PDB file of all heavy atoms in Angstrom:
ATOM      1  N   ASP A 295     100.490  85.108 107.862  1.00 87.00           N
ATOM      2  CA  ASP A 295      99.636  84.594 108.941  1.00 87.00           C
ATOM      3  C   ASP A 295     100.204  84.926 110.295  1.00 87.00           C
ATOM      4  O   ASP A 295      99.767  84.356 111.302  1.00 87.00           O
ATOM      5  CB  ASP A 295      99.551  83.071 108.860  1.00 87.00           C
ATOM      6  CG  ASP A 295      98.875  82.629 107.529  1.00 87.00           C
ATOM      7  OD1 ASP A 295      98.171  83.428 106.915  1.00 87.00           O
ATOM      8  OD2 ASP A 295      99.161  81.524 107.154  1.00 87.00           O
ATOM      9  N   GLY A 296     101.101  85.880 110.426  1.00 79.00           N
ATOM     10  CA  GLY A 296     101.726  86.119 111.718  1.00 79.00           C
ATOM     11  C   GLY A 296     100.899  87.085 112.554  1.00 79.00           C
ATOM     12  O   GLY A 296      99.665  87.161 112.437  1.00 79.00           O
ATOM     13  N   LEU A 297     101.543  87.768 113.375  1.00 82.00           N
ATOM     14  CA  LEU A 297     100.912  88.657 114.385  1.00 82.00           C
ATOM     15  C   LEU A 297     100.086  89.676 113.691  1.00 82.00           C
ATOM     16  O   LEU A 297     100.510  90.372 112.684  1.00 82.00           O
ATOM     17  CB  LEU A 297     101.929  89.375 115.238  1.00 82.00           C
ATOM     18  CG  LEU A 297     101.446  90.218 116.318  1.00 82.00           C
ATOM     19  CD1 LEU A 297     100.664  89.555 117.377  1.00 82.00           C
ATOM     20  CD2 LEU A 297     102.599  90.963 116.951  1.00 82.00           C
ATOM     21  N   ARG A 298      98.758  89.779 114.075  1.00 85.00           N
ATOM     22  CA  ARG A 298      97.825  90.831 113.401  1.00 85.00           C
ATOM     23  C   ARG A 298      97.712  92.001 114.366  1.00 85.00           C
ATOM     24  O   ARG A 298      97.608  91.852 115.558  1.00 85.00           O
ATOM     25  CB  ARG A 298      96.505  90.129 113.229  1.00 85.00           C
ATOM     26  CG  ARG A 298      96.495  88.791 112.386  1.00 85.00           C
ATOM     27  CD  ARG A 298      96.585  89.265 110.898  1.00 85.00           C
ATOM     28  NE  ARG A 298      96.608  88.098 110.055  1.00 85.00           N
ATOM     29  CZ  ARG A 298      96.608  88.102 108.811  1.00 85.00           C
ATOM     30  NH1 ARG A 298      96.809  89.209 108.133  1.00 85.00           N
ATOM     31  NH2 ARG A 298      96.573  86.963 108.147  1.00 85.00           N
ATOM     32  N   MET A 299      97.568  93.160 113.734  1.00 87.00           N
ATOM     33  CA  MET A 299      97.440  94.364 114.472  1.00 87.00           C
ATOM     34  C   MET A 299      95.812  94.524 114.656  1.00 87.00           C
ATOM     35  O   MET A 299      95.078  94.278 113.813  1.00 87.00           O
ATOM     36  CB  MET A 299      97.963  95.506 113.625  1.00 87.00           C
ATOM     37  CG  MET A 299      97.901  96.844 114.410  1.00 87.00           C
ATOM     38  SD  MET A 299      98.726  98.178 113.514  1.00 87.00           S
ATOM     39  CE  MET A 299     100.424  97.724 113.693  1.00 87.00           C
ATOM     40  N   THR A 300      95.544  94.920 115.949  1.00 90.00           N
ATOM     41  CA  THR A 300      94.023  95.170 116.186  1.00 90.00           C
ATOM     42  C   THR A 300      93.631  96.445 115.401  1.00 90.00           C
ATOM     43  O   THR A 300      94.382  97.267 115.107  1.00 90.00           O
ATOM     44  CB  THR A 300      93.970  95.536 117.693  1.00 90.00           C
ATOM     45  OG1 THR A 300      94.663  96.602 118.021  1.00 90.00           O
ATOM     46  CG2 THR A 300      94.486  94.298 118.521  1.00 90.00           C
ATOM     47  N   PRO A 301      92.328  96.439 115.139  1.00 92.00           N
ATOM     48  CA  PRO A 301      91.706  97.586 114.488  1.00 92.00           C
ATOM     49  C   PRO A 301      92.042  98.940 115.147  1.00 92.00           C
ATOM     50  O   PRO A 301      92.302  99.901 114.564  1.00 92.00           O
ATOM     51  CB  PRO A 301      90.170  97.325 114.569  1.00 92.00           C
ATOM     52  CG  PRO A 301      90.181  95.871 114.523  1.00 92.00           C
ATOM     53  CD  PRO A 301      91.262  95.437 115.439  1.00 92.00           C
ATOM     54  N   ARG A 302      92.082  98.950 116.510  1.00 92.00           N
ATOM     55  CA  ARG A 302      92.386 100.171 117.198  1.00 92.00           C
ATOM     56  C   ARG A 302      93.861 100.630 116.984  1.00 92.00           C
ATOM     57  O   ARG A 302      94.049 101.778 116.738  1.00 92.00           O
ATOM     58  CB  ARG A 302      92.193  99.903 118.744  1.00 92.00           C
ATOM     59  CG  ARG A 302      92.386 101.205 119.529  1.00 92.00           C
ATOM     60  CD  ARG A 302      92.074 100.906 121.015  1.00 92.00           C
ATOM     61  NE  ARG A 302      92.252 102.196 121.833  1.00 92.00           N
ATOM     62  CZ  ARG A 302      92.071 102.147 123.157  1.00 92.00           C
ATOM     63  NH1 ARG A 302      91.677 101.100 123.765  1.00 92.00           N
ATOM     64  NH2 ARG A 302      92.257 103.237 123.826  1.00 92.00           N
ATOM     65  N   ARG A 303      94.717  99.674 116.977  1.00 93.00           N
ATOM     66  CA  ARG A 303      96.135 100.169 116.686  1.00 93.00           C
ATOM     67  C   ARG A 303      96.365 100.426 115.239  1.00 93.00           C
ATOM     68  O   ARG A 303      96.999 101.397 114.982  1.00 93.00           O
ATOM     69  CB  ARG A 303      97.055  98.904 116.997  1.00 93.00           C
ATOM     70  CG  ARG A 303      97.323  98.634 118.503  1.00 93.00           C
ATOM     71  CD  ARG A 303      98.002  97.337 118.664  1.00 93.00           C
ATOM     72  NE  ARG A 303      99.303  97.365 118.103  1.00 93.00           N
ATOM     73  CZ  ARG A 303     100.226  96.282 118.078  1.00 93.00           C
ATOM     74  NH1 ARG A 303      99.849  95.133 118.502  1.00 93.00           N
ATOM     75  NH2 ARG A 303     101.458  96.408 117.517  1.00 93.00           N
ATOM     76  N   GLN A 304      95.582  99.720 114.297  1.00 92.00           N
ATOM     77  CA  GLN A 304      95.591 100.057 112.916  1.00 92.00           C
ATOM     78  C   GLN A 304      95.158 101.444 112.639  1.00 92.00           C
ATOM     79  O   GLN A 304      95.713 102.188 111.824  1.00 92.00           O
ATOM     80  CB  GLN A 304      94.751  99.069 112.089  1.00 92.00           C
ATOM     81  CG  GLN A 304      94.790  99.289 110.605  1.00 92.00           C
ATOM     82  CD  GLN A 304      96.147  98.743 110.018  1.00 92.00           C
ATOM     83  OE1 GLN A 304      96.601  97.670 110.458  1.00 92.00           O
ATOM     84  NE2 GLN A 304      96.642  99.533 109.045  1.00 92.00           N
ATOM     85  N   SER A 305      94.126 101.928 113.398  1.00 93.00           N
ATOM     86  CA  SER A 305      93.526 103.261 113.183  1.00 93.00           C
ATOM     87  C   SER A 305      94.557 104.369 113.572  1.00 93.00           C
ATOM     88  O   SER A 305      94.390 105.534 113.046  1.00 93.00           O
ATOM     89  CB  SER A 305      92.316 103.456 114.044  1.00 93.00           C
ATOM     90  OG  SER A 305      92.619 103.472 115.392  1.00 93.00           O
ATOM     91  N   ARG A 306      95.631 104.109 114.224  1.00 93.00           N
ATOM     92  CA  ARG A 306      96.550 105.090 114.601  1.00 93.00           C
ATOM     93  C   ARG A 306      97.731 105.155 113.682  1.00 93.00           C
ATOM     94  O   ARG A 306      98.641 106.029 113.856  1.00 93.00           O
ATOM     95  CB  ARG A 306      97.077 104.737 116.054  1.00 93.00           C
ATOM     96  CG  ARG A 306      95.996 104.810 117.096  1.00 93.00           C
ATOM     97  CD  ARG A 306      96.577 104.265 118.441  1.00 93.00           C
ATOM     98  NE  ARG A 306      95.528 104.311 119.487  1.00 93.00           N
ATOM     99  CZ  ARG A 306      95.718 103.761 120.680  1.00 93.00           C
ATOM    100  NH1 ARG A 306      96.823 103.087 121.004  1.00 93.00           N
ATOM    101  NH2 ARG A 306      94.697 103.850 121.578  1.00 93.00           N
ATOM    102  N   LEU A 307      97.736 104.335 112.535  1.00 95.00           N
ATOM    103  CA  LEU A 307      98.815 104.477 111.576  1.00 95.00           C
ATOM    104  C   LEU A 307      98.401 105.374 110.531  1.00 95.00           C
ATOM    105  O   LEU A 307      97.165 105.416 110.049  1.00 95.00           O
ATOM    106  CB  LEU A 307      99.066 102.973 111.013  1.00 95.00           C
ATOM    107  CG  LEU A 307      99.453 101.976 112.073  1.00 95.00           C
ATOM    108  CD1 LEU A 307      99.743 100.730 111.252  1.00 95.00           C
ATOM    109  CD2 LEU A 307     100.642 102.386 112.866  1.00 95.00           C
ATOM    110  N   PHE A 308      99.294 106.270 110.062  1.00 95.00           N
ATOM    111  CA  PHE A 308      98.882 107.263 109.085  1.00 95.00           C
ATOM    112  C   PHE A 308      99.957 107.373 108.003  1.00 95.00           C
ATOM    113  O   PHE A 308     101.061 106.826 108.091  1.00 95.00           O
ATOM    114  CB  PHE A 308      98.858 108.658 109.818  1.00 95.00           C
ATOM    115  CG  PHE A 308      97.767 108.761 110.747  1.00 95.00           C
ATOM    116  CD1 PHE A 308      98.005 108.513 112.119  1.00 95.00           C
ATOM    117  CD2 PHE A 308      96.436 109.089 110.355  1.00 95.00           C
ATOM    118  CE1 PHE A 308      96.929 108.639 113.058  1.00 95.00           C
ATOM    119  CE2 PHE A 308      95.418 109.317 111.303  1.00 95.00           C
ATOM    120  CZ  PHE A 308      95.717 109.028 112.641  1.00 95.00           C
ATOM    121  N   CYS A 309      99.581 108.042 106.931  1.00 96.00           N
ATOM    122  CA  CYS A 309     100.515 108.443 105.837  1.00 96.00           C
ATOM    123  C   CYS A 309     100.617 109.949 105.980  1.00 96.00           C
ATOM    124  O   CYS A 309      99.601 110.604 106.379  1.00 96.00           O
ATOM    125  CB  CYS A 309     100.005 108.063 104.513  1.00 96.00           C
ATOM    126  SG  CYS A 309      99.912 106.284 104.329  1.00 96.00           S
ATOM    127  N   ARG A 310     101.793 110.495 105.707  1.00 95.00           N
ATOM    128  CA  ARG A 310     101.982 111.981 105.819  1.00 95.00           C
ATOM    129  C   ARG A 310     103.124 112.417 104.933  1.00 95.00           C
ATOM    130  O   ARG A 310     103.881 111.656 104.462  1.00 95.00           O
ATOM    131  CB  ARG A 310     102.324 112.332 107.285  1.00 95.00           C
ATOM    132  CG  ARG A 310     103.612 111.687 107.701  1.00 95.00           C
ATOM    133  CD  ARG A 310     103.833 111.946 109.257  1.00 95.00           C
ATOM    134  NE  ARG A 310     102.964 111.214 110.061  1.00 95.00           N
ATOM    135  CZ  ARG A 310     103.086 109.898 110.261  1.00 95.00           C
ATOM    136  NH1 ARG A 310     104.134 109.124 109.792  1.00 95.00           N
ATOM    137  NH2 ARG A 310     102.288 109.270 111.069  1.00 95.00           N
ATOM    138  N   TYR A 311     103.194 113.787 104.762  1.00 95.00           N
ATOM    139  CA  TYR A 311     104.371 114.415 104.098  1.00 95.00           C
ATOM    140  C   TYR A 311     105.367 114.842 105.201  1.00 95.00           C
ATOM    141  O   TYR A 311     104.943 115.342 106.211  1.00 95.00           O
ATOM    142  CB  TYR A 311     103.975 115.576 103.305  1.00 95.00           C
ATOM    143  CG  TYR A 311     103.277 115.201 101.951  1.00 95.00           C
ATOM    144  CD1 TYR A 311     101.827 115.394 101.849  1.00 95.00           C
ATOM    145  CD2 TYR A 311     103.954 114.726 100.898  1.00 95.00           C
ATOM    146  CE1 TYR A 311     101.274 115.056 100.638  1.00 95.00           C
ATOM    147  CE2 TYR A 311     103.402 114.376  99.723  1.00 95.00           C
ATOM    148  CZ  TYR A 311     102.026 114.581  99.673  1.00 95.00           C
ATOM    149  OH  TYR A 311     101.334 114.234  98.386  1.00 95.00           O
ATOM    150  N   HIS A 312     106.590 114.412 104.923  1.00 94.00           N
ATOM    151  CA  HIS A 312     107.536 114.587 106.062  1.00 94.00           C
ATOM    152  C   HIS A 312     108.679 115.473 105.580  1.00 94.00           C
ATOM    153  O   HIS A 312     109.281 115.276 104.444  1.00 94.00           O
ATOM    154  CB  HIS A 312     108.083 113.138 106.381  1.00 94.00           C
ATOM    155  CG  HIS A 312     109.197 113.120 107.263  1.00 94.00           C
ATOM    156  ND1 HIS A 312     109.056 113.303 108.732  1.00 94.00           N
ATOM    157  CD2 HIS A 312     110.582 112.904 107.191  1.00 94.00           C
ATOM    158  CE1 HIS A 312     110.222 113.208 109.314  1.00 94.00           C
ATOM    159  NE2 HIS A 312     111.115 112.972 108.401  1.00 94.00           N
ATOM    160  N   ASP A 313     109.030 116.448 106.452  1.00 93.00           N
ATOM    161  CA  ASP A 313     110.201 117.341 106.032  1.00 93.00           C
ATOM    162  C   ASP A 313     111.320 117.334 107.044  1.00 93.00           C
ATOM    163  O   ASP A 313     112.231 118.114 106.963  1.00 93.00           O
ATOM    164  CB  ASP A 313     109.677 118.722 105.851  1.00 93.00           C
ATOM    165  CG  ASP A 313     109.035 119.301 107.152  1.00 93.00           C
ATOM    166  OD1 ASP A 313     109.292 118.697 108.181  1.00 93.00           O
ATOM    167  OD2 ASP A 313     108.417 120.457 107.122  1.00 93.00           O
ATOM    168  N   ASN A 314     111.273 116.325 107.990  1.00 91.00           N
ATOM    169  CA  ASN A 314     112.327 116.187 108.983  1.00 91.00           C
ATOM    170  C   ASN A 314     112.600 117.476 109.685  1.00 91.00           C
ATOM    171  O   ASN A 314     113.688 118.084 109.695  1.00 91.00           O
ATOM    172  CB  ASN A 314     113.633 115.631 108.372  1.00 91.00           C
ATOM    173  CG  ASN A 314     114.625 115.166 109.452  1.00 91.00           C
ATOM    174  OD1 ASN A 314     114.263 114.899 110.603  1.00 91.00           O
ATOM    175  ND2 ASN A 314     115.931 115.038 109.088  1.00 91.00           N
ATOM    176  N   ASN A 315     111.592 117.968 110.385  1.00 90.00           N
ATOM    177  CA  ASN A 315     111.716 119.196 111.173  1.00 90.00           C
ATOM    178  C   ASN A 315     112.144 120.345 110.327  1.00 90.00           C
ATOM    179  O   ASN A 315     113.073 121.104 110.693  1.00 90.00           O
ATOM    180  CB  ASN A 315     112.635 119.026 112.347  1.00 90.00           C
ATOM    181  CG  ASN A 315     112.122 117.924 113.332  1.00 90.00           C
ATOM    182  OD1 ASN A 315     110.883 117.921 113.643  1.00 90.00           O
ATOM    183  ND2 ASN A 315     113.014 117.089 113.850  1.00 90.00           N
ATOM    184  N   ARG A 316     111.401 120.545 109.156  1.00 88.00           N
ATOM    185  CA  ARG A 316     111.731 121.648 108.331  1.00 88.00           C
ATOM    186  C   ARG A 316     113.124 121.689 107.831  1.00 88.00           C
ATOM    187  O   ARG A 316     113.810 122.755 107.720  1.00 88.00           O
ATOM    188  CB  ARG A 316     111.318 122.977 108.979  1.00 88.00           C
ATOM    189  CG  ARG A 316     109.888 123.023 109.386  1.00 88.00           C
ATOM    190  CD  ARG A 316     109.452 124.397 109.833  1.00 88.00           C
ATOM    191  NE  ARG A 316     109.598 125.454 108.890  1.00 88.00           N
ATOM    192  CZ  ARG A 316     108.634 125.600 107.879  1.00 88.00           C
ATOM    193  NH1 ARG A 316     107.632 124.847 107.798  1.00 88.00           N
ATOM    194  NH2 ARG A 316     108.835 126.588 107.056  1.00 88.00           N
ATOM    195  N   HIS A 317     113.613 120.442 107.315  1.00 91.00           N
ATOM    196  CA  HIS A 317     114.933 120.442 106.756  1.00 91.00           C
ATOM    197  C   HIS A 317     114.917 121.335 105.496  1.00 91.00           C
ATOM    198  O   HIS A 317     113.896 121.263 104.597  1.00 91.00           O
ATOM    199  CB  HIS A 317     115.291 119.002 106.356  1.00 91.00           C
ATOM    200  CG  HIS A 317     116.768 118.792 105.993  1.00 91.00           C
ATOM    201  ND1 HIS A 317     117.165 119.207 104.732  1.00 91.00           N
ATOM    202  CD2 HIS A 317     117.808 118.362 106.667  1.00 91.00           C
ATOM    203  CE1 HIS A 317     118.506 118.941 104.582  1.00 91.00           C
ATOM    204  NE2 HIS A 317     118.871 118.351 105.792  1.00 91.00           N
ATOM    205  N   PRO A 318     115.927 122.062 105.257  1.00 91.00           N
ATOM    206  CA  PRO A 318     115.912 123.062 104.096  1.00 91.00           C
ATOM    207  C   PRO A 318     115.605 122.369 102.712  1.00 91.00           C
ATOM    208  O   PRO A 318     114.990 122.978 101.890  1.00 91.00           O
ATOM    209  CB  PRO A 318     117.346 123.606 104.145  1.00 91.00           C
ATOM    210  CG  PRO A 318     117.780 123.569 105.524  1.00 91.00           C
ATOM    211  CD  PRO A 318     117.097 122.321 106.073  1.00 91.00           C
ATOM    212  N   LYS A 319     116.039 121.274 102.555  1.00 91.00           N
ATOM    213  CA  LYS A 319     115.880 120.502 101.238  1.00 91.00           C
ATOM    214  C   LYS A 319     114.454 120.009 101.103  1.00 91.00           C
ATOM    215  O   LYS A 319     113.987 119.683 100.072  1.00 91.00           O
ATOM    216  CB  LYS A 319     116.829 119.320 101.161  1.00 91.00           C
ATOM    217  CG  LYS A 319     118.300 119.657 100.979  1.00 91.00           C
ATOM    218  CD  LYS A 319     119.191 118.406 100.729  1.00 91.00           C
ATOM    219  CE  LYS A 319     120.560 118.866 100.473  1.00 91.00           C
ATOM    220  NZ  LYS A 319     121.406 117.600 100.299  1.00 91.00           N
ATOM    221  N   TYR A 320     113.725 119.883 102.235  1.00 92.00           N
ATOM    222  CA  TYR A 320     112.349 119.192 102.111  1.00 92.00           C
ATOM    223  C   TYR A 320     111.189 120.123 102.604  1.00 92.00           C
ATOM    224  O   TYR A 320     110.112 119.613 102.767  1.00 92.00           O
ATOM    225  CB  TYR A 320     112.387 117.882 102.818  1.00 92.00           C
ATOM    226  CG  TYR A 320     113.463 116.922 102.226  1.00 92.00           C
ATOM    227  CD1 TYR A 320     114.669 116.757 102.899  1.00 92.00           C
ATOM    228  CD2 TYR A 320     113.153 116.313 101.065  1.00 92.00           C
ATOM    229  CE1 TYR A 320     115.586 115.854 102.359  1.00 92.00           C
ATOM    230  CE2 TYR A 320     114.095 115.517 100.476  1.00 92.00           C
ATOM    231  CZ  TYR A 320     115.316 115.318 101.060  1.00 92.00           C
ATOM    232  OH  TYR A 320     116.232 114.432 100.481  1.00 92.00           O
ATOM    233  N   VAL A 321     111.449 121.320 102.938  1.00 91.00           N
ATOM    234  CA  VAL A 321     110.283 122.239 103.237  1.00 91.00           C
ATOM    235  C   VAL A 321     109.379 122.439 102.203  1.00 91.00           C
ATOM    236  O   VAL A 321     108.179 122.313 102.346  1.00 91.00           O
ATOM    237  CB  VAL A 321     110.910 123.653 103.745  1.00 91.00           C
ATOM    238  CG1 VAL A 321     109.774 124.605 103.956  1.00 91.00           C
ATOM    239  CG2 VAL A 321     111.733 123.441 105.074  1.00 91.00           C
ATOM    240  N   ILE A 322     109.881 122.690 100.996  1.00 91.00           N
ATOM    241  CA  ILE A 322     108.973 122.851  99.765  1.00 91.00           C
ATOM    242  C   ILE A 322     108.611 121.518  99.123  1.00 91.00           C
ATOM    243  O   ILE A 322     107.330 121.398  98.843  1.00 91.00           O
ATOM    244  CB  ILE A 322     109.766 123.668  98.713  1.00 91.00           C
ATOM    245  CG1 ILE A 322     110.100 125.135  99.244  1.00 91.00           C
ATOM    246  CG2 ILE A 322     108.928 123.816  97.503  1.00 91.00           C
ATOM    247  CD1 ILE A 322     110.864 125.971  98.339  1.00 91.00           C
ATOM    248  N   GLY A 323     109.471 120.572  99.220  1.00 90.00           N
ATOM    249  CA  GLY A 323     109.182 119.317  98.583  1.00 90.00           C
ATOM    250  C   GLY A 323     109.300 118.163  99.586  1.00 90.00           C
ATOM    251  O   GLY A 323     110.272 117.383  99.508  1.00 90.00           O
ATOM    252  N   PRO A 324     108.398 118.014 100.576  1.00 94.00           N
ATOM    253  CA  PRO A 324     108.510 116.951 101.593  1.00 94.00           C
ATOM    254  C   PRO A 324     108.310 115.529 100.983  1.00 94.00           C
ATOM    255  O   PRO A 324     107.795 115.410  99.854  1.00 94.00           O
ATOM    256  CB  PRO A 324     107.368 117.257 102.597  1.00 94.00           C
ATOM    257  CG  PRO A 324     106.361 118.025 101.743  1.00 94.00           C
ATOM    258  CD  PRO A 324     107.204 118.832 100.763  1.00 94.00           C
ATOM    259  N   VAL A 325     108.818 114.537 101.683  1.00 95.00           N
ATOM    260  CA  VAL A 325     108.759 113.116 101.188  1.00 95.00           C
ATOM    261  C   VAL A 325     107.535 112.465 101.757  1.00 95.00           C
ATOM    262  O   VAL A 325     107.002 112.914 102.855  1.00 95.00           O
ATOM    263  CB  VAL A 325     110.024 112.382 101.472  1.00 95.00           C
ATOM    264  CG1 VAL A 325     111.238 112.981 100.877  1.00 95.00           C
ATOM    265  CG2 VAL A 325     110.218 112.270 103.073  1.00 95.00           C
ATOM    266  N   LYS A 326     107.165 111.408 101.122  1.00 96.00           N
ATOM    267  CA  LYS A 326     105.898 110.672 101.606  1.00 96.00           C
ATOM    268  C   LYS A 326     106.393 109.600 102.673  1.00 96.00           C
ATOM    269  O   LYS A 326     107.301 108.771 102.343  1.00 96.00           O
ATOM    270  CB  LYS A 326     105.294 109.870 100.394  1.00 96.00           C
ATOM    271  CG  LYS A 326     104.780 110.856  99.348  1.00 96.00           C
ATOM    272  CD  LYS A 326     104.225 109.989  98.157  1.00 96.00           C
ATOM    273  CE  LYS A 326     103.739 110.957  97.104  1.00 96.00           C
ATOM    274  NZ  LYS A 326     103.280 110.217  95.888  1.00 96.00           N
ATOM    275  N   GLN A 327     105.804 109.647 103.786  1.00 96.00           N
ATOM    276  CA  GLN A 327     106.156 108.745 104.905  1.00 96.00           C
ATOM    277  C   GLN A 327     104.873 107.990 105.338  1.00 96.00           C
ATOM    278  O   GLN A 327     103.852 108.504 105.532  1.00 96.00           O
ATOM    279  CB  GLN A 327     106.710 109.590 106.176  1.00 96.00           C
ATOM    280  CG  GLN A 327     107.156 108.694 107.312  1.00 96.00           C
ATOM    281  CD  GLN A 327     107.504 109.480 108.469  1.00 96.00           C
ATOM    282  OE1 GLN A 327     106.592 110.040 109.115  1.00 96.00           O
ATOM    283  NE2 GLN A 327     108.738 109.623 108.874  1.00 96.00           N
ATOM    284  N   GLU A 328     105.022 106.722 105.470  1.00 97.00           N
ATOM    285  CA  GLU A 328     103.921 105.768 105.859  1.00 97.00           C
ATOM    286  C   GLU A 328     104.258 104.936 107.089  1.00 97.00           C
ATOM    287  O   GLU A 328     105.300 104.333 107.130  1.00 97.00           O
ATOM    288  CB  GLU A 328     103.590 104.850 104.651  1.00 97.00           C
ATOM    289  CG  GLU A 328     102.466 103.952 104.907  1.00 97.00           C
ATOM    290  CD  GLU A 328     102.205 102.927 103.839  1.00 97.00           C
ATOM    291  OE1 GLU A 328     102.965 102.987 102.876  1.00 97.00           O
ATOM    292  OE2 GLU A 328     101.274 102.102 103.993  1.00 97.00           O
ATOM    293  N   ASP A 329     103.328 104.997 107.979  1.00 96.00           N
ATOM    294  CA  ASP A 329     103.481 104.157 109.238  1.00 96.00           C
ATOM    295  C   ASP A 329     103.269 102.660 108.799  1.00 96.00           C
ATOM    296  O   ASP A 329     102.219 102.320 108.331  1.00 96.00           O
ATOM    297  CB  ASP A 329     102.564 104.470 110.376  1.00 96.00           C
ATOM    298  CG  ASP A 329     102.925 105.947 110.912  1.00 96.00           C
ATOM    299  OD1 ASP A 329     104.041 106.271 110.912  1.00 96.00           O
ATOM    300  OD2 ASP A 329     101.912 106.533 111.360  1.00 96.00           O
ATOM    301  N   GLU A 330     104.257 101.692 109.087  1.00 93.00           N
ATOM    302  CA  GLU A 330     103.980 100.293 108.820  1.00 93.00           C
ATOM    303  C   GLU A 330     103.682  99.538 110.081  1.00 93.00           C
ATOM    304  O   GLU A 330     102.882  98.604 110.053  1.00 93.00           O
ATOM    305  CB  GLU A 330     105.249  99.743 108.220  1.00 93.00           C
ATOM    306  CG  GLU A 330     105.578 100.248 106.825  1.00 93.00           C
ATOM    307  CD  GLU A 330     104.794  99.563 105.734  1.00 93.00           C
ATOM    308  OE1 GLU A 330     104.055  98.641 106.100  1.00 93.00           O
ATOM    309  OE2 GLU A 330     104.840 100.020 104.611  1.00 93.00           O
ATOM    310  N   TRP A 331     104.138  99.959 111.212  1.00 93.00           N
ATOM    311  CA  TRP A 331     104.080  99.277 112.455  1.00 93.00           C
ATOM    312  C   TRP A 331     104.206 100.351 113.546  1.00 93.00           C
ATOM    313  O   TRP A 331     104.878 101.281 113.392  1.00 93.00           O
ATOM    314  CB  TRP A 331     105.002  98.187 112.599  1.00 93.00           C
ATOM    315  CG  TRP A 331     104.552  97.068 113.537  1.00 93.00           C
ATOM    316  CD1 TRP A 331     104.964  96.799 114.755  1.00 93.00           C
ATOM    317  CD2 TRP A 331     103.571  95.987 113.299  1.00 93.00           C
ATOM    318  NE1 TRP A 331     104.349  95.747 115.414  1.00 93.00           N
ATOM    319  CE2 TRP A 331     103.474  95.239 114.436  1.00 93.00           C
ATOM    320  CE3 TRP A 331     102.782  95.811 112.192  1.00 93.00           C
ATOM    321  CZ2 TRP A 331     102.619  94.140 114.497  1.00 93.00           C
ATOM    322  CZ3 TRP A 331     101.944  94.644 112.251  1.00 93.00           C
ATOM    323  CH2 TRP A 331     101.820  93.887 113.377  1.00 93.00           C
ATOM    324  N   ASP A 332     103.549  99.963 114.785  1.00 92.00           N
ATOM    325  CA  ASP A 332     103.622 100.987 115.874  1.00 92.00           C
ATOM    326  C   ASP A 332     104.698 100.574 116.940  1.00 92.00           C
ATOM    327  O   ASP A 332     105.427 101.399 117.407  1.00 92.00           O
ATOM    328  CB  ASP A 332     102.235 101.238 116.406  1.00 92.00           C
ATOM    329  CG  ASP A 332     101.631  99.877 116.967  1.00 92.00           C
ATOM    330  OD1 ASP A 332     102.202  98.825 116.683  1.00 92.00           O
ATOM    331  OD2 ASP A 332     100.529  99.916 117.613  1.00 92.00           O
ATOM    332  N   ARG A 333     104.676  99.321 117.265  1.00 90.00           N
ATOM    333  CA  ARG A 333     105.574  98.959 118.377  1.00 90.00           C
ATOM    334  C   ARG A 333     106.359  97.644 117.983  1.00 90.00           C
ATOM    335  O   ARG A 333     105.724  96.538 118.022  1.00 90.00           O
ATOM    336  CB  ARG A 333     104.819  98.611 119.645  1.00 90.00           C
ATOM    337  CG  ARG A 333     104.194  99.810 120.274  1.00 90.00           C
ATOM    338  CD  ARG A 333     103.603  99.607 121.717  1.00 90.00           C
ATOM    339  NE  ARG A 333     102.603  98.478 121.640  1.00 90.00           N
ATOM    340  CZ  ARG A 333     101.343  98.548 121.460  1.00 90.00           C
ATOM    341  NH1 ARG A 333     100.850  99.794 121.182  1.00 90.00           N
ATOM    342  NH2 ARG A 333     100.510  97.594 121.510  1.00 90.00           N
TER     343      ARG A 333
END
């Protein structure tokens, strides 16, 4: 029941594949990264 994120802020959160600036270990197999909070 705590602080709620506004729909506008919520719309800016994404899921993506992450390779940490093309790290050699993760260029071919990037990891799954999910935004949980913005600020």
